[in-house]
Amino acid sequence: MRPLALALALSLIACKPRDANDPKTWIGRLDDNDPKVRVQAVQQLRKLKAKQAAPQIALLLKDPLLKEDAALALEDLGGPEQVDALLAAVDTTVGAGSDTAARAANRTNFRIAEALGNIGDARAGPALLRLARSSDDNVRIAAVEALGNVKAKDAIFELSHIVDDPTAPPLLIKRAIVALGDIGDPSAIPALAHGLVIERQGVSFLPESSFALFLLGEAAVEPLMKIAQDQDPAYLAWAKENNRAPAGTYAKAALVLGDLEDQRAVPVLVAKLKYVDPDPVPGTSRLLSNLVRMFAANALGRMRATQAAPAVQAVVSTANAQDEEVTTFAAEALVWIGDRAQARELMRKAQTGLLKLRLTVAQSAALFGEPVLGKDVLTLAMREAKGSQQACARQLSDLTMPVADPRQACDLLATQFGELSKPLEAARVCASDASCWLPKLQDPDPVVRARAAYELGRAGAAEAIAALAKAAGEEELLVRTAATRALDWLASVPAARPALKGVAPQLASQLAQEQGKGQYLKANEDLRRLQVKLSRL
């Protein structure tokens, strides 16, 4: 009986299933006679991220029943050693048919393109270029994205053609623009300049095109300066043929020049602050003129062009609601430039005009002005408190701040200005002492927190980087913007670079988590550019 019991026990051990979390369990089943078992093995190895199985999975690309699943698995598991097998598996004969075989072949080509893009091996360029001309849109999109990942310079002509193709799907155009930026060759600049101003099916490509040009860096500066000054005959001919308004061109060229921060562009941008659009309709002319001026002011602010501060100041006006955006952009630019003498002029302009614009320029003054302006703010608040109830209530209503009791309207209005004394009082206490400003990043008042971020950035305070990175994730956009600007300024401080590299993963994680959140779109575009700067330190 004992030998029989032992044999039975050994039999049970032999039949016991192997560990499902052990890749060896599934690698051993890749050559099983049952195709369902082989498919399951490939899928499980992908889930387990078992890169050691990539060579065996690549062999299954020759198996018609496993080809698509194998290509999908190699998106995550493949490496340079699997490139040849993936290239051999591309089906260049398939059309856009709706039959089962054509759909399966296109799905497989799509997976292969994604796998090759993830691997990023330049050998894949020619095959991906062929797939970019596929009759299946999904295959084209995957191939175009992959061409950027493998940095295929031979694809620039094809990708540029896609950007200019009026029949191309918007998503394909977006991927082509991103790919051109990733490839990083100056020969892509004409297509990317077109991408700044074109629309397809109501879709703008400004975010992708401006970022791609930013990635190209210095090579894009002179071409954009020429475009902004009507000195590029080829672009002028294209713009005329495609009915692109000059104002849009000037504004978007200014946007990118501001990102690139090349001082050669300052005179060009200053000239655009005086732009007057020739549209015969006065309202349209004003709108287009302000569009160019606001982007020029914003660019000069990003460049911290002190010499341009008076010209930017000249754009600020509180008299007309049509000037709200240009005034907001210009006042913010003055904060970034940091010429404190301009804050007094902003405070002077805050004395009269439309309430919303007055508050905008007063807040900007409070973000960088000398402490003595605190007295002006309090005087202004006291004056508002003595206004007529009817006038105060009307102005608050314009701010979408209706008051239940009209008797409180003037006090509430006065408070809107009076609160701005807080950042100026903080400036009186802290002056240029970074150790004093650092805890004020936790202040209950958002304008104080924003001012603290700006002051720490101006002071080159490397010790504040961790706190500024945290502030760059605040819900309050005013503080986010200030913290991001401060971190950007610190990138030019050698002593700050190790700490900046240390917070780069945190900022990258924030960008990934907030992708698609509209309320942070503008702030996170700046954060993306900061990420690029940090990666180049």
Side-chain angles (χ1 to χ4, degrees):
M1 289 296 293
R2 183 172 294 176
L4 181 60
L6 180 60
L8 181 60
L10 291 172
S11 174
L12 289 172
I13 292 171
C15 293
K16 184 179 179 180
R18 298 180 67 178
D19 183 2
N21 292 320
D22 184 354
K24 292 179 182 178
T25 300
W26 302 106
I27 290 173
R29 298 179 185 178
L30 289 175
D31 56 0
D32 194 279
N33 291 330
D34 187 342
K36 292 182 180 179
V37 173
R38 299 200 300 275
V39 168
Q40 184 188 24
V42 170
Q43 293 172 345
Q44 290 299 320
L45 287 165
R46 180 178 178 234
K47 287 181 181 178
L48 294 171
K49 298 180 172 58
K51 289 184 178 291
Q52 67 269 37
Q56 294 95 319
I57 292 175
L59 295 175
L60 297 177
L61 290 167
K62 298 177 181 179
D63 184 338
L65 298 176
L66 272 292
K67 189 175 181 180
E68 183 179 349
D69 286 286
L72 175 60
L74 291 173
E75 286 183 30
D76 300 323
L77 308 181
E81 298 79 9
Q82 284 71 57
V83 168
D84 288 338
L86 286 163
L87 293 175
V90 172
D91 185 345
T92 57
T93 64
V94 63
S98 59
D99 59 281
T100 302
R103 290 200 306 270
N106 279 319
R107 285 197 308 270
T108 302
N109 279 346
F110 169 78
R111 299 300 184 191
I112 291 172
E114 290 206 321
L116 290 169
N118 289 349
I119 294 168
D121 193 300
R123 289 175 293 164
L128 289 169
L129 191 53
R130 290 195 298 274
L131 290 176
R133 299 171 182 141
S134 167
S135 53
D136 182 273
D137 282 345
N138 288 330
V139 174
R140 292 185 77 193
I141 289 168
V144 162
E145 184 172 355
L147 284 166
N149 291 342
V150 305
K151 302 191 183 305
K153 291 186 178 182
D154 290 345
I156 289 175
F157 177 82
E158 180 71 21
L159 295 171
S160 297
H161 172 72
I162 290 172
V163 174
D164 282 325
D165 182 0
T167 67
L171 182 57
L172 181 63
I173 296 174
K174 283 180 178 283
R175 293 290 189 271
I177 291 170
V178 171
L180 288 170
D182 289 339
I183 293 169
D185 191 274
S187 61
I189 290 173
L192 294 175
H194 298 171
L196 289 173
V197 297
I198 61 172
E199 287 189 2
R200 297 283 187 264
Q201 300 174 30
V203 176
S204 167
F205 307 99
L206 176 61
E208 295 81 11
S209 299
S210 60
F211 188 70
L213 286 163
F214 170 72
L215 291 177
L216 264 69
E218 185 180 356
V221 174
E222 286 197 15
L224 287 169
M225 287 172 58
K226 288 181 178 179
I227 288 172
Q229 298 175 93
D230 294 331
Q231 295 174 356
D232 184 334
Y235 182 88
L236 286 171
W238 174 87
K240 183 177 181 180
E241 181 181 348
N242 288 272
N243 198 28
R244 296 296 91 193
T249 293
Y250 302 150
K252 291 163 187 178
L255 170 70
V256 182
L257 288 170
D259 286 339
L260 296 172
E261 298 181 12
D262 192 304
Q263 294 297 312
R264 289 174 293 171
V266 170
V268 177
L269 294 166
V270 169
K272 293 304 176 189
L273 291 173
K274 296 181 179 180
Y275 174 73
V276 177
D277 195 85
D279 193 285
V281 179
T284 304
S285 174
R286 185 171 194 148
L287 179 69
L288 294 174
S289 299
N290 281 348
L291 177 71
V292 176
R293 294 175 185 182
M294 64 190 259
F295 278 104
N298 179 271
L300 290 163
R302 290 174 185 277
M303 298 165 73
R304 303 174 78 186
T306 306
Q307 68 272 39
V312 174
Q313 178 72 253
V315 174
V316 176
S317 171
T318 61
N320 194 309
Q322 289 180 292
D323 298 331
E324 179 181 339
E325 282 193 301
V326 68
T327 290
T328 300
F329 272 62
E332 184 177 52
L334 289 170
V335 177
W336 297 344
I337 291 171
D339 177 2
R340 300 193 194 274
Q342 300 299 327
R344 179 166 291 283
E345 178 62 13
L346 287 177
M347 194 61 73
R348 185 190 68 77
K349 291 179 178 179
Q351 303 295 319
T352 59
L354 299 175
L355 176 61
K356 188 174 184 179
L357 299 183
R358 292 170 60 207
L359 283 169
T360 295
V361 299
Q363 178 178 277
S364 292
L367 284 170
F368 74 111
E370 297 287 357
V372 68
L373 291 184
K375 295 179 181 178
D376 295 345
V377 169
L378 293 175
T379 300
L380 179 56
M382 290 174 62
R383 192 188 79 191
E384 297 297 333
K386 296 175 181 178
S388 72
Q389 292 180 9
Q390 185 178 8
C392 292
R394 185 183 67 252
Q395 291 185 82
L396 288 171
S397 179
D398 291 342
L399 280 181
T400 64
M401 293 178 62
V403 184
D405 184 353
R407 292 173 297 180
Q408 298 177 354
C410 290
D411 287 339
L412 181 57
L413 180 56
T415 300
Q416 304 305 306
F417 286 101
E419 290 287 307
L420 296 176
S421 65
K422 293 179 179 179
L424 293 164
E425 173 60 17
R428 185 191 67 78
V429 173
C430 292
S432 58
D433 183 358
S435 64
C436 177
W437 281 113
L438 188 54
K440 294 195 181 297
L441 286 173
Q442 306 295 324
D443 194 274
D445 187 275
V447 187
V448 173
R449 298 200 300 276
R451 171 126 194 189
Y454 283 129
E455 295 296 339
L456 290 164
R458 291 188 215 284
E463 66 272 24
I465 286 172
L468 287 168
K470 182 179 179 181
E474 265 208 34
E475 289 188 12
E476 179 62 55
L477 289 177
L478 181 71
V479 182
R480 267 188 182 236
T481 299
T484 303
R485 286 286 101 207
L487 289 167
D488 184 80
W489 298 341
L490 285 164
S492 63
V493 178
R497 290 172 184 172
L500 284 169
K501 290 180 181 179
V503 300
Q506 174 186 335
L507 299 176
S509 174
Q510 176 184 321
L511 279 171
Q513 291 173 10
E514 294 178 350
Q515 189 172 9
K517 292 186 177 180
Q519 68 269 39
Y520 303 134
L521 188 61
K522 182 176 180 292
N524 283 351
E525 281 295 311
D526 290 339
L527 202 57
R528 284 182 73 201
R529 285 153 176 76
L530 176 60
Q531 276 291 106
V532 173
K533 284 188 177 183
L534 298 187
S535 71
R536 294 172 176 174
L537 290 179

